[in-house]
Amino acid sequence: MNIRYFVLAALASAAFSCASPKPEGTLGAGSELDRKVEDLLSRMTLQEKIGQMNQISAGGEVAPYAAAIREGKVGSILNEVDPVRLNEFQRIAVEQSRLGIPILVGRDIIHGYRTLFPIPLGIAATFDPELARTGAALAAAEARPGGIHWTFSPMLDIARDPRWGRIAEGSGEDPYLDACMAEAFVRGYQGERPGSSSLAACIKHFAGYGAAEGGRDYAGTQIPERLLRNVYLPPFEAAVKAGAMTLMTSFNENDGLPSTGNAPLVRGILREEWGFDGLVVTDWNSMGEMIAHGFTPDRKEAARQALEAGVDMDMMTFGFLSHLEELLKERKVRMADIDEAVRHILKVKYMLGLFDSPYVDPAAAESALYTEDALSAARRTVAESAILLKNEGALPLKGVRTLLVTGPMADSPHDQLGTWSFDGEKDRTVTPLRALREQFDGNVLYVPGLKYTREVRTSFPEVLEAARKADAVLAFVGEEAILSGEAHSLADLNLIGSQSDLLKALKATGKPVVAVVMAGRPLTIERDLPSCDAMLYSFHPGTMGGPGLADLLLGKTSPSGKTPVTFLRTVGQVPMYYNHNMSGRPYQNEKLLDEIGLEAGQTSLGNTSYYLDYGASPLFPFGFGLSYTNFAFSDITLDRDCYGKDDVIRVSYTLSNTGQAEATEVVQVYVRDLVGSVVRPVKELKAFERVTLAPGERKALSIEIPVSRLSFYGRNGERTVEPGGFLLWVAGDSATGEPVPFEVR
Ligand code: NOJ
């Protein structure tokens, strides 16, 4: 469909125009803000109100949209980033529309604006919310001077299925990690107090979108309310508490209700229960898609249901613009709901200082890009996020004089940026090849072997010849950017094309082979582990991917990234996640296929929960990642045996660096609630912290967990901490450690 044609046709269908002075004002205290909003609202016509509730995609040109903006039919635009054109848009809105209300400008700034950080799944792998906050603040510092006010980020969808391409955009499978990252992103974008240097965050996609059936994007979800509340909603609630100014409804229907028309979810849980008074925007045409879902017969009814559900702004359906006036006349919607929606929108505009300074200085916008701060934070994030999955002494590179750099991702600036990198620039991206050529003290040979990840070849003679001349091989493999992200689901998660063959052939040369995987999701790389001596897994690392990875490969810093999602052996294990419910028949090391005798009795295998061919374990558990040293945990104790519901558990432990390198361990605390009114997960992450130790250093540390963090929605539908026995683990991943018991009374 020609989007521009669609936009213009929709805009032409409602007509009005008048002229009056623009409102003035600066943001004051809460009541002052309300006064300004009410004053402006009282001067708006119905059509002007409805116009504010309309968001259009308006990139590339101004003229086609000028009349609509002048007539007050556009409250927000997305997809324009040129500061000169944005000033023109604002000039029409501010100086030529009757009330002079500035336009709210939105953009998908998902992992940085121009300076791209690792994709969000990579940021989650740092287990470093403070670094995530810094990255989001730097993204705001790059984008806001250019006239962008609003980012459609962070994505808070819990994802337990790596086939889903959008797993790249979130923080993985764990509600607690996701909630910590949610809060960090919101605080980073918005700053201490939203204002003229902030971006408004938009938490999305509300809700449950990550549970798309079969990992197929846009497929329906079947999440019962308790699971929704215990697993999928906590990151959203945390972000709302952190002050998220806006929220986006999701595409999916859950149990038959599309989110954009889901009043119990949006008006009920979000607005009434959590008290969210920010702006709710639909996803792109998700109002219109309620027709395709067969949930509403037409766009008019879709608009009615969306407003009733609590939606304030319509992204690209033009349902509000075209039908609200008529619906109001027919008394099918309430004026109070329209007013409330407009209040939410105006409030965001006032809070962000749009009325005070709608224009930007294009020169200042330019100089805000690629600052030293942004580049170095991006590089540090790459180094903290890469996960060392295997190392038989090949890393860090030592005593190597000639290094072969190979593989389709070694010098692929576009692909290393990953999904949602609209504003990233290939030319400003530093690839591993370039970084190694600059930083490696020796001879770098480069033979790509495969030009792109999907390429199929039967042999690699030129690569193998170069390998024979080298002391070590670095093979950069993975996924092109286009293979993950929205609408990019995969059913096969093995390394694509001939990449596994390339690794195998390299290994056969006998030279040390280091595989560096750059991907948008956890691929099933079990078959590739024997083909390398070390494997470093980097989710698409962004602009500074090269230098950040080189820092690790050359041993300037030690890997500390941890898997934010379970890595599977085979796609047939999906869904497999660490915090699954306790089974009545947990796996007890039963026999696998090749151990089962012929004509063995039906019940001879023990009847427990596992796959005959793949057992019960993933390839790497949640929270896993090696470093260039070893860590040991000891003296794990709790300050008491028994706690009240308002107490804080103080967990003491000693961490020792028993190896030869300075490194950081992500200390993780897991808890199991032994008996619940409903079946509980085998383990849940309840706290984590990054601890850096020098070689041989040993430190006594402690970490606090409020007992209230053990609460969940049980049989009575309320969130409570249920008294009883618990187990607690302190470990470097979700699969190791010795449990310590405690009780809650
Ligand atoms: C659709 C995507 O689902 C959403 O995440 C994004 O923010 C909007 N398009 C706007 O580009």
Side-chain angles (χ1 to χ4, degrees):
M1 183 197 319
N2 178 333
I3 296 285
R4 215 188 88 196
Y5 172 79
F6 186 49
V7 174
L8 296 175
L11 289 171
S13 65
F16 52 88
S17 90
C18 324
S20 113
K22 70 172 179 124
E24 10 159 301
T26 48
L27 177 63
S31 56
E32 171 72 355
L33 170 66
D34 291 343
R35 194 189 56 70
K36 285 176 202 294
V37 169
E38 291 310 319
D39 172 56
L40 179 51
L41 192 65
S42 71
R43 290 185 287 126
M44 293 171 79
T45 63
L46 173 62
Q47 292 85 350
E48 282 164 337
K49 289 176 184 174
I50 294 171
Q52 285 300 306
M53 298 165 71
N54 186 37
Q55 185 187 52
I56 65 167
S57 177
E61 289 171 278
V62 177
Y65 313 100
I69 294 172
R70 209 171 281 130
E71 290 164 14
K73 292 181 191 170
V74 179
S76 173
I77 64 170
L78 76 160
N79 290 339
E80 176 58 81
V81 295
D82 177 61
V84 174
R85 275 198 295 273
L86 285 174
N87 278 343
E88 286 180 49
F89 276 121
Q90 295 295 13
R91 191 156 289 115
I92 298 166
V94 171
E95 296 171 25
Q96 299 170 22
S97 76
R98 190 181 77 94
L99 289 172
I101 303 173
I103 294 175
L104 184 63
V105 179
R107 182 65 165 172
D108 285 286
I109 297 168
I110 307 298
H111 50 114
Y113 177 50
R114 282 291 153 79
T115 305
L116 289 179
F117 284 66
I119 55 170
L121 193 59
I123 297 176
T126 65
F127 280 65
D128 190 345
E130 181 49 29
L131 191 57
R133 191 198 60 76
T134 304
L138 287 162
E142 274 195 332
R144 186 67 205 261
I148 298 165
H149 314 123
W150 183 19
T151 173
F152 303 119
S153 166
M155 185 188 98
L156 307 181
D157 300 314
I158 296 289
R160 294 167 156 185
D161 188 337
R163 293 172 298 182
W164 190 52
R166 301 198 83 170
I167 195 172
E169 291 177 56
S171 294
E173 74 188 30
D174 183 70
Y176 181 69
L177 175 62
D178 197 339
C180 294
M181 288 295 172
E183 200 182 313
F185 273 100
V186 168
R187 292 197 197 285
Y189 289 135
Q190 297 187 177
E192 281 301 302
R193 187 162 187 268
S196 56
S197 51
S198 320
L199 289 179
C202 183
I203 54 178
K204 70 185 188 186
H205 306 85
F206 197 63
Y209 180 42
E213 229 170 45
R216 292 180 299 278
D217 207 4
Y218 315 126
T221 59
Q222 292 297 330
I223 312 172
E225 184 170 342
R226 193 182 349 263
L227 185 65
L228 190 72
R229 287 180 178 274
N230 283 332
V231 172
Y232 292 87
L233 296 188
F236 285 94
E237 194 174 2
V240 166
K241 280 205 184 117
M245 297 169 78
T246 82
L247 171 142
M248 185 186 291
T249 58
S250 57
F251 286 128
N252 62 295
E253 53 85 16
N254 184 44
D255 192 21
L257 289 186
S259 301
T260 301
N262 189 339
L265 180 72
V266 182
R267 212 170 266 288
I269 295 180
L270 175 72
R271 296 252 191 237
E272 282 160 21
E273 246 183 68
W274 299 349
F276 180 73
D277 65 352
L279 188 174
V280 174
V281 64
T282 69
D283 201 342
W284 182 288
N285 191 33
S286 67
M287 187 189 291
E289 286 175 16
M290 292 202 282
I291 308 166
H293 276 297
F295 184 69
T296 63
D298 52 31
R299 194 171 58 160
K300 185 172 162 189
E301 175 60 9
R304 190 192 70 74
Q305 293 225 26
L307 185 70
E308 190 175 83
V311 167
D312 302 318
M313 187 180 275
D314 164 5
M315 182 193 287
M316 292 301 290
T317 294
F318 307 101
F320 284 165
L321 191 72
S322 311
H323 303 291
L324 276 190
E325 198 177 344
E326 196 187 340
L327 283 164
L328 189 70
K329 270 194 207 127
E330 294 168 3
R331 295 176 181 268
K332 288 187 177 145
V333 296
R334 300 179 333 138
M335 191 62 223
D337 287 343
I338 296 178
D339 280 343
E340 195 56 14
V342 178
R343 263 185 207 108
H344 295 146
I345 295 162
L346 295 179
K347 202 167 133 192
V348 169
K349 294 188 177 187
Y350 274 114
M351 288 174 79
L352 292 173
L354 264 59
F355 288 92
D356 300 327
S357 45
Y359 306 117
V360 292
D361 170 4
E366 187 62 32
S367 58
L369 307 176
Y370 301 111
T371 59
E372 267 313 305
D373 282 355
L375 293 171
S376 67
R379 177 175 183 162
R380 192 177 139 210
T381 311
V382 175
E384 279 195 20
S385 78
I387 308 160
L388 186 63
L389 293 177
K390 171 179 178 176
N391 190 12
E392 287 175 352
L395 284 178
L397 297 175
K398 264 193 222 115
V400 175
R401 274 179 304 164
T402 300
L403 180 65
L404 170 62
V405 173
T406 181
M409 295 296 286
D411 193 31
S412 185
H414 171 83
D415 288 316
Q416 80 179 49
L417 294 179
T419 187
W420 290 111
S421 52
F422 290 147
D423 303 305
E425 294 166 305
K426 243 167 101 157
D427 300 345
R428 300 299 295 256
T429 301
V430 189
T431 65
L433 176 66
R434 191 175 128 198
L436 287 162
R437 278 184 173 148
E438 282 165 16
Q439 289 185 47
F440 178 67
D441 187 16
N443 185 18
V444 174
L445 309 175
Y446 173 55
V447 185
L450 296 164
K451 289 194 276 303
Y452 53 96
T453 64
R454 280 170 289 171
E455 191 183 3
V456 175
R457 277 186 69 178
T458 46
S459 63
F460 312 92
E462 74 289 11
V463 187
L464 302 183
E465 194 190 316
R468 279 180 212 107
K469 293 186 207 138
D471 304 312
V473 179
L474 289 183
F476 292 85
V477 293
E479 289 183 311
E480 290 148 66
I482 192 66
L483 300 181
S484 63
E486 185 178 350
H488 296 87
S489 297
L490 287 173
D492 181 342
L493 299 181
N494 286 333
L495 275 180
I496 206 160
S498 299
Q499 298 182 95
S500 292
D501 295 337
L502 172 63
L503 289 176
K504 222 187 219 167
L506 285 165
K507 180 69 180 164
T509 64
K511 297 294 167 84
V513 176
V514 176
V516 183
V517 186
M518 292 157 122
R521 53 162 70 76
L523 295 168
T524 49
I525 34 79
E526 183 170 40
R527 72 177 184 189
D528 306 302
L529 287 171
S531 308
C532 59
D533 300 281
M535 183 182 281
L536 189 62
Y537 205 98
S538 167
F539 295 109
H540 289 132
T543 306
M544 295 300 278
L549 289 170
D551 289 342
L552 295 172
L553 297 166
L554 302 177
K556 293 184 185 161
T557 178
S558 175
S560 58
K562 299 278 184 168
T563 53
V565 63
T566 302
F567 274 53
L568 303 179
R569 297 180 58 198
T570 174
V571 79
Q573 291 178 307
V574 176
M576 182 178 269
Y577 44 91
Y578 87 95
N579 47 356
H580 59 85
N581 277 359
M582 289 189 263
S583 161
R585 294 186 176 189
Y587 177 59
Q588 322 249 337
N589 292 321
E590 266 76 26
K591 288 181 180 156
L592 297 179
L593 271 190
D594 50 2
E595 302 156 331
I596 301 172
L598 295 180
E599 301 191 2
Q602 176 65 37
T603 55
S604 66
L605 305 182
N607 291 2
T608 67
S609 177
Y610 75 112
Y611 295 105
L612 297 183
D613 48 357
Y614 279 88
S617 303
L619 183 59
F620 297 108
F622 175 85
F624 176 84
L626 304 169
S627 80
Y628 293 154
T629 193
N630 291 309
F631 288 103
F633 288 88
S634 58
D635 312 323
I636 299 167
T637 53
L638 306 186
D639 58 339
R640 301 186 3 212
D641 306 328
C642 185
Y643 298 87
K645 291 185 183 174
D646 300 323
D647 291 342
V648 172
I649 305 169
R650 174 180 276 264
V651 185
S652 301
Y653 65 95
T654 299
L655 184 68
S656 312
N657 178 341
T658 58
Q660 305 301 314
E662 176 181 297
T664 301
E665 175 63 303
V666 177
V667 176
Q668 301 157 49
V669 183
Y670 294 89
V671 170
R672 176 188 296 176
D673 187 344
L674 289 172
V675 179
S677 63
V678 294
V679 174
R680 306 287 296 129
V682 290
K683 266 184 185 181
E684 292 177 293
L685 183 68
K686 292 294 170 191
F688 59 86
E689 62 183 354
R690 293 173 57 90
V691 179
T692 304
L693 295 182
E697 193 180 351
R698 189 184 154 84
K699 237 189 202 165
L701 296 150
S702 70
I703 194 163
E704 294 192 339
I705 303 172
V707 171
S708 59
R709 205 174 282 163
L710 309 178
S711 64
F712 66 99
Y713 289 87
R715 204 178 322 182
N716 64 4
E718 303 281 313
R719 180 154 68 195
T720 46
V721 180
E722 294 187 359
F726 292 78
L727 294 178
L728 178 147
W729 291 258
V730 180
D733 61 59
S734 64
T736 56
E738 288 302 318
V740 181
F742 71 94
E743 223 179 286
V744 172
R745 282 220 181 107

